[in-house]
Amino acid sequence: MNSKKNYILHLADNGLILAQRLGEWCGHGPVLEQDIALTNIALDVLGQARYFYQYAAEVDGQGKEEDFYAYFRDEREFKNFLLIEQPNGDWAHTIMRQFFYDNFMQLVYTSLLSSSDKQIAAIASKAIKEVNYHLKFSSEWVIRMGDGTDESHKRIQDAANNLWEYTGEFFVPTTYETEMASKGIAPNIASLKNDWHTRGNEIFSEATLQVPQATWFQSGGKTGTHTEYLGIMLTDLQYLQRAYPGNSW
Amino acid sequence: MTTIDLEEQFMKRVAADEKVEPKDWMPEKYRKTLIRQIAQHAHSEVVGMLPEANYISRAPSLRRKAALLAKIQDEGGHGLYLYCAAETLGVERDTLIEELHSGKAKYSSIFNYPTLSWADMGAIGWLVDGAAILNQVPLCKCSYGPYARAMVRVCKEESFHQRQGYEILLTLCNGSADQKQMAQDSLNRWWWPSLMMFGPSDADSTNSEYSMKTKIKRFSNDELRQKFVDATKPQADILGLTIPDPDLKFNEQTRHWEYGEIDWEEFHNVVQGNGVCNKIRLRERNEAWDNGKWVREAATAYAEKREQRKNESKQVA
Amino acid sequence: MSNTKNWPLWEVFIRSKNGLNHKHVGSLHASDSEMALENARDVYTRRQEGISIWVVESKNISASDPKINDEMFDPAADKVYRHPTFYNLPDELKHM
């Protein structure tokens, strides 16, 4: 039971923390049209997070609601990828983070469509449409920047190099993922690695970018050992609920 | 036809409630007045994203976070519609944005006040958007077609904004003593600036007369301000909040709420750049724009390359 | 003016549902047609306003000149015989 809850929370936390990061762009985008576009993505992933938190509450059976899981868990209990909590940086870093994530989540949601858990499959069938669009959006921007100006090429290549080390944990299963895979609830994530690389290579090649060659990867996000950024994000995110506990908002 | 004839004809058309469209002849003053007003309006939407964006990360529930994000995003959209309406008058968006960033163009002064608590998200929706709606609804019938059409879209989308804000305050007012205090404090800070949103009183409003005559504007500043006070007082009563105006009283004869003296000195100071946040808002806008320059250039460069490749491959074929 | 070239302006047309025409809804800026379509989706269909989008770069639209509206449109005014009500038919004839 715990594995299932953990797996669902892992999916939910990714959505919430990414929405939190993307929300920082709102009002600060490079041009109004893209400001609006990025907020649409933020709203999509926040929506996904809410579905998963609501389902986690059901699986948990403690009579809690979605906000409990977002606002009253500590840093060590959050299970999002390290990649997601990395700062926005410039437009290149934000887009590259998004591209790495979209490319992976598109594969994850595609397999979750046939999850043996009906509720997860139902959420995936809604999320897959959103992620397909996100992947198109982020891929196009990777290409635009890679094949744009010298400056944009350098910036997007730097972003790829800087964020690369956080992509390895996608494919290393935690115990809860292994258990979920054995029950047909979740995909065997190690098996998604080839597709992720193949598609990533295609886009990088079209963008005239070098695929980073580093082979050492950070890990720990999925089991609650994060970079220092997450704690600060949660302080911000959870402040009101924690400062005035027991209230409705 | 002489310019005088054209102008006379134009005024007749406008007086008969005919719409003016981009390619129609229009007096230079009409064009300039419109550009100034639409641009100011667009700038207000875009700068207005900032005080609320201050609370996206801290929204106290996921439901509120989604609503706030969607609302601020709408404001970006409204800015966009309005810049496009201004562009039909022959001025480029980037030119307008540069005028905002250099401090030459104005935007609504309300956004130079800081957001200091979650209740401010409620107060902005309830009061600031409430005041904005009163200003905007008549603009849907404005004489200039593209502006009127943009406003129809804006008003349609705005309808959830005020409700969103009021619901935030309602929840706080039905909550703990701390929460209610948060709401009252917020009303105390936003009430007077909201009244100032309608602009100087009619006697002191320099641009009003021409705008009224050409039907860019359909109600005077004071008329709209009065409507706002009349509409808002009963809403404050439902919340159980006290409007911070000891002179506020109902006039049985006129059937209107009479309000106290507005601090015009504060108003003029904030308009002239002395508000708490004037410099911060402009700095933030400038940074966003400057940081986006290389992104905009990259997209242009890529589009040009692609176009060129397409043409080359056509030639080969 | 900055020396950066602005993204061109595009006009956006949306079909709200099958069976209806695409209708002009507004404009936006984008660097190419693909981005223009996506921006149109993000800006103009957030509330399910459409199921199909057209974008046209504004400079490619030719518009009639309102200065010659008299010669363009007034001549159609007296051609009443183009309308069914011009023809007198007996009342017994119910549908025609």
Side-chain angles (χ1 to χ4, degrees):
Chain A
M1 213 64 234
N2 242 356
S3 284
K4 187 163 164 184
K5 184 180 95 179
N6 285 338
Y7 182 62
I8 300 166
L9 285 174
H10 157 64
L11 295 169
D13 291 343
N14 279 334
L16 175 60
I17 299 302
L18 183 56
Q20 195 74 355
R21 280 295 187 216
L22 294 176
E24 293 170 27
W25 272 106
C26 187
H28 304 84
V31 65
L32 268 176
E33 283 82 351
Q34 296 301 316
D35 203 306
I36 293 167
L38 210 61
T39 301
N40 265 352
I41 297 180
L43 284 166
D44 284 344
V45 294
L46 179 59
Q48 291 163 13
R50 292 185 64 189
Y51 285 120
F52 283 122
Y53 282 132
Q54 286 159 15
Y55 187 40
E58 200 185 311
V59 169
D60 201 16
Q62 308 283 318
K64 305 284 190 196
E65 290 179 3
E66 55 173 1
D67 285 341
F68 171 81
Y69 301 91
Y71 289 88
F72 290 100
R73 284 183 307 135
D74 290 336
E75 197 177 335
R76 300 279 283 110
E77 296 167 88
F78 268 73
K79 294 170 180 53
N80 57 282
F81 296 126
L82 299 176
L83 175 75
I84 292 310
E85 70 205 38
Q86 299 310 303
N88 286 340
D90 59 5
W91 186 253
H93 277 78
T94 295
I95 292 292
M96 189 51 80
R97 184 183 63 200
Q98 191 70 38
F99 173 66
F100 285 153
Y101 179 72
D102 294 340
N103 189 12
F104 182 67
M105 290 312 289
Q106 208 263 353
L107 298 168
V108 171
Y109 281 125
T110 302
S111 4
L112 288 180
L113 289 174
S114 49
S115 170
S116 63
D117 184 285
K118 292 279 169 302
Q119 185 61 23
I120 291 180
I123 299 172
S125 72
K126 183 180 177 297
I128 187 69
K129 297 181 200 162
E130 296 166 344
V131 172
N132 284 341
Y133 187 82
H134 302 168
L135 179 60
K136 183 171 186 290
F137 175 88
S138 57
S139 303
E140 286 169 3
W141 266 110
V142 167
I143 295 165
R144 255 182 219 120
M145 285 188 272
D147 196 15
T149 61
D150 290 346
E151 181 178 7
S152 69
H153 180 87
K154 183 182 178 319
R155 283 177 182 263
I156 192 75
Q157 183 68 62
D158 284 350
N161 297 347
N162 291 336
L163 294 169
W164 184 252
E165 63 178 326
Y166 301 109
T167 59
E169 76 169 324
F170 288 166
F171 310 106
V172 184
T174 58
T175 45
Y176 59 82
E177 285 170 303
T178 306
E179 196 185 324
M180 287 302 96
S182 73
K183 291 182 174 158
I185 292 176
N188 169 3
I189 47 169
S191 73
L192 305 178
K193 195 171 175 178
N194 275 342
D195 283 348
W196 187 81
H197 279 281
T198 308
R199 205 157 49 182
N201 291 348
E202 280 167 18
I203 299 295
F204 268 54
S205 142
E206 200 178 337
T208 69
L209 293 173
Q210 300 294 320
V211 177
Q213 294 303 315
T215 51
W216 174 256
F217 293 103
Q218 306 302 330
S219 64
K222 294 196 284 188
T223 47
T225 314
H226 291 274
T227 56
E228 289 174 353
Y229 298 115
L230 184 71
I232 294 165
M233 289 182 81
L234 294 183
T235 311
D236 203 21
L237 171 81
Q238 299 176 334
Y239 145 71
L240 274 163
Q241 287 272 8
R242 302 256 185 156
Y244 303 91
N247 290 323
S248 299
W249 298 91
Chain B
M1 250 190 297
T2 66
T3 312
I4 298 172
D5 291 337
L6 282 168
E7 181 137 8
E8 201 174 298
Q9 213 177 50
F10 176 87
M11 288 311 225
K12 262 191 211 148
R13 282 181 56 199
V14 166
D17 273 337
E18 266 187 57
K19 296 285 181 207
V20 181
E21 294 296 343
K23 293 184 73 130
D24 292 347
W25 185 90
M26 61 186 84
E28 211 33 44
K29 188 175 180 188
Y30 179 81
R31 183 191 301 276
K32 285 205 172 117
T33 305
L34 270 175
I35 291 177
R36 200 194 58 236
Q37 183 176 330
I38 300 173
Q40 252 181 43
H41 196 163
H43 299 331
S44 302
E45 296 282 356
V46 172
V47 176
M49 296 170 83
L50 299 175
E52 288 175 289
N54 182 31
Y55 262 88
I56 294 172
S57 66
R58 285 176 284 177
S61 75
L62 299 182
R63 176 175 177 270
R64 295 277 181 227
K65 192 188 290 288
L68 186 63
L69 261 172
K71 178 192 185 246
I72 303 173
Q73 183 195 41
D74 272 354
E75 280 155 14
H78 299 170
L80 191 153
Y81 309 151
L82 288 161
Y83 282 128
C84 289
E87 284 187 283
T88 62
L89 292 157
V91 55
E92 294 218 20
R93 190 202 291 180
D94 288 16
T95 309
L96 299 174
I97 288 178
E98 277 156 23
E99 284 176 4
L100 167 70
H101 291 176
S102 69
K104 190 179 153 207
K106 296 272 177 266
Y107 56 88
S108 180
S109 277
I110 192 86
F111 302 119
N112 291 319
Y113 291 85
T115 51
L116 303 176
S117 78
W118 171 249
D120 289 4
M121 299 305 106
I124 288 181
W126 174 38
L127 300 173
V128 177
D129 291 319
I133 290 168
L134 284 176
N135 268 320
Q136 287 168 355
V137 168
L139 288 174
C140 297
K141 292 187 180 165
C142 147
S143 58
Y144 187 58
Y147 190 22
R149 289 191 289 274
M151 291 318 300
V152 169
R153 186 169 273 275
V154 168
C155 287
K156 224 188 263 172
E157 297 186 354
E158 282 282 340
S159 56
F160 101 80
H161 295 183
Q162 197 186 15
R163 293 171 69 100
Q164 178 255 175
Y166 195 76
E167 195 196 76
I168 287 174
L169 288 177
L170 198 62
T171 309
L172 293 177
C173 291
N174 291 331
S176 68
D178 279 342
Q179 286 179 306
K180 183 147 192 193
Q181 175 50 33
M182 209 184 266
Q184 181 65 55
D185 169 65
S186 186
L187 173 58
N188 293 351
R189 283 179 291 111
W190 291 95
W191 173 255
W192 291 105
S194 300
L195 292 196
M196 294 175 195
M197 277 180 75
F198 297 96
S201 65
D202 296 348
D204 303 318
S205 180
T206 44
N207 300 318
S208 279
E209 203 196 320
Y210 184 78
S211 295
M212 296 281 279
K213 212 170 104 194
T214 49
K215 299 205 176 169
I216 293 174
K217 197 170 159 175
R218 289 173 168 261
F219 294 97
S220 78
N221 294 351
D222 287 335
E223 280 172 333
L224 288 171
R225 195 169 4 247
Q226 185 61 58
K227 269 192 189 195
F228 176 73
V229 176
D230 290 343
T232 309
K233 173 66 172 81
Q235 294 164 356
D237 291 342
I238 294 173
L239 293 172
L241 294 178
T242 310
I243 289 176
D245 178 1
D247 298 325
L248 189 73
K249 59 172 189 295
F250 192 68
N251 183 325
E252 289 290 349
Q253 252 132 43
T254 61
R255 312 295 297 165
H256 288 301
W257 285 93
E258 290 173 354
Y259 49 90
E261 187 63 32
I262 290 170
D263 184 350
W264 293 114
E265 199 191 334
E266 176 181 322
F267 172 78
H268 290 298
N269 266 291
V270 181
V271 170
Q272 280 152 25
N274 295 329
V276 187
C277 297
N278 289 62
K279 292 181 194 70
I280 301 172
R281 300 288 186 239
L282 274 191
R283 191 169 61 225
E284 221 172 309
R285 278 310 318 153
N286 271 290
E287 275 171 13
W289 187 245
D290 295 345
N291 291 338
K293 185 166 180 271
W294 70 268
V295 181
R296 298 188 297 274
E297 285 171 352
T300 301
Y302 174 71
E304 281 169 0
K305 278 189 203 176
R306 210 169 62 156
E307 195 61 28
Q308 206 180 340
R309 281 175 209 150
K310 223 174 21 187
N311 292 336
E312 280 165 11
S313 67
K314 259 188 219 156
Q315 279 167 6
V316 173
Chain C
M1 270 311 292
S2 74
N3 46 17
T4 319
K5 236 181 283 172
N6 296 340
W7 288 356
L9 191 67
W10 301 74
E11 301 302 321
V12 180
F13 301 82
I14 290 188
R15 186 202 296 287
S16 57
K17 59 177 187 188
N18 271 356
L20 297 178
N21 289 321
H22 284 78
K23 195 175 152 203
H24 183 245
V25 294
S27 43
L28 49 77
H29 288 270
S31 59
D32 54 43
S33 60
E34 200 164 36
M35 192 202 276
L37 279 171
E38 288 166 18
N39 288 349
R41 176 259 195 192
D42 286 326
V43 172
Y44 288 105
T45 67
R46 300 200 300 284
R47 290 177 170 81
Q48 299 181 287
E49 291 95 334
I51 53 122
S52 167
I53 303 175
W54 288 348
V55 289
V56 183
E57 208 177 323
S58 311
K59 68 172 190 204
N60 292 331
I61 290 183
S62 309
S64 65
D65 181 356
K67 280 206 279 296
I68 57 161
N69 270 10
D70 291 359
E71 62 192 67
M72 285 285 276
F73 306 113
D74 287 0
D78 64 352
K79 312 294 193 288
V80 282
Y81 42 78
R82 287 199 171 109
H83 301 279
T85 47
F86 175 75
Y87 300 94
N88 295 315
L89 298 177
D91 290 345
E92 305 94 271
L93 191 71
K94 288 267 159 36
H95 302 288
M96 183 175 280

